[in-house]
Amino acid sequence: MGEAGAPLAGMTLNERLFARGILDRFDKVRAAGDREALRAILIEVEVSDVEWTIDQLLDSDRR
């Protein structure tokens, strides 16, 4: 499992999720399409454009 305080700059989203130990939780939330939970997770891993990222994640699941 990842470290809670690991620096995230320069990491991909998957690397950030893994570093925080929340990759499985993210996968479940994404599969459920839960925008609020996705927002909280993306803020936790310091994603800069949270709303755009949520739109991209959920839109790609619909294709």
Side-chain angles (χ1 to χ4, degrees), residues 8 13 16-17 20 22-23 25-27 29-30 33-55 57-58:
L8 301 174
L13 177 56
R16 291 169 186 235
L17 294 166
R20 289 291 193 256
I22 58 174
L23 189 54
R25 183 175 72 163
F26 170 82
D27 287 340
V29 166
R30 181 180 178 183
D34 185 339
R35 292 185 72 87
E36 290 302 315
L38 276 173
R39 185 174 293 108
I41 290 171
L42 294 175
I43 289 169
E44 182 178 343
V45 297
E46 303 171 16
V47 168
S48 59
D49 193 340
V50 172
E51 296 305 319
W52 181 87
T53 303
I54 292 170
D55 290 342
L57 289 166
L58 296 181

